[in-house]
Amino acid sequence: MKPMSTRVLLIDDDARLFELLASFLDPFGFTVLHAPDGGRGLAMLESSAVDAVLLDVMMPGLDGLEVVRRIRLKSRVPVVMLTARGDEADRIVGLELGADDYLAKPFNPRELLARLRAVLRRASPDSVIGGVAEKVQVGDVVVDVGARIAERSGKPVDLTALELDVLVALMRRAGRPIPRDALLAEAGRADVVVGERTVDVHISHLRQKLGEPSPIKTVRGVGYVFAKDAAT
């Protein structure tokens, strides 16, 4: 019996890109669905089960940034944004809105394959370390790394994929500052290279979502640290 394929929805008005990706990804176990604009892409997400979304920023009608914002209102499906090369602003905004990764056009299909596999691994609820589901806890903050769930004082904290990765990195090194320019690499997200502002934005969002008192402290001239004595 042929194994079930991984279903990827490409939301992009470039029909040639769809043909290329459908042909390239098929031998690797991916089935690519296609929506030529944001409206039809959102409709397909409502009616079809997909494992990941490839989303172009520049499209007629609804642009990719508005589409990812609407996706995140209803779904945690992994989203890889496709941006114009060098357009840092779109990448930052896309990550802020909840995209899991980005890739600049034109791109090598093999790099896209690697990014897809990475976001799917991070999204998998079956992620384990040494055969045991990993949980990280400091004070009243708990993250189930495998299930990708964060809680504070027993209440769920709704985080984007990148925010959760950054939080886990800080918690694993609680009490030890992590330099700002090394934090994304520490979180296993060295692929996200959009400048220091991105780190500051995600730290700001984490602090807001975790609430007061904030367990994430700024170490002036160094970076950030998760306090060991986070409120309990």
Side-chain angles (χ1 to χ4, degrees), residues 65-165:
L65 298 177
E66 175 61 18
V67 172
V68 73
R69 187 190 71 80
R70 295 191 188 188
I71 289 173
R72 283 294 171 255
L73 292 175
K74 298 182 177 181
S75 173
R76 304 293 298 172
V77 64
V79 176
V80 178
M81 302 287 293
L82 305 178
T83 71
R85 184 169 299 279
D87 197 342
E88 182 174 316
D90 281 346
R91 300 177 195 178
I92 292 173
V93 174
L95 292 169
E96 290 174 3
L97 291 172
D100 297 87
D101 203 349
Y102 70 87
L103 192 58
K105 290 182 174 183
F107 53 80
N108 186 314
R110 290 191 175 276
E111 182 177 3
L112 174 65
L113 174 62
R115 298 292 182 97
L116 269 176
R117 285 173 167 169
V119 297
L120 288 165
R121 280 196 305 270
R122 289 195 292 266
S124 171
D126 300 321
S127 174
V128 296
I129 293 180
V132 179
E134 183 191 11
K135 287 191 176 182
V136 181
Q137 179 170 4
V138 181
D140 61 349
V141 181
V142 182
V143 178
D144 185 325
V145 181
R148 308 288 292 175
I149 295 172
E151 296 181 346
R152 186 170 195 186
S153 299
K155 297 179 180 179
V157 182
D158 186 22
L159 303 177
T160 67
L162 184 54
E163 288 166 357
L164 189 140
D165 290 336

Side-chain angles (χ1 to χ4, degrees), residues 9-15 34-41 44 59-60:
L9 173 60
L10 172 68
I11 306 177
D12 192 308
D13 58 344
D14 186 346
H34 182 224
D37 58 61
R40 277 179 278 189
M44 288 183 69
M59 290 185 294

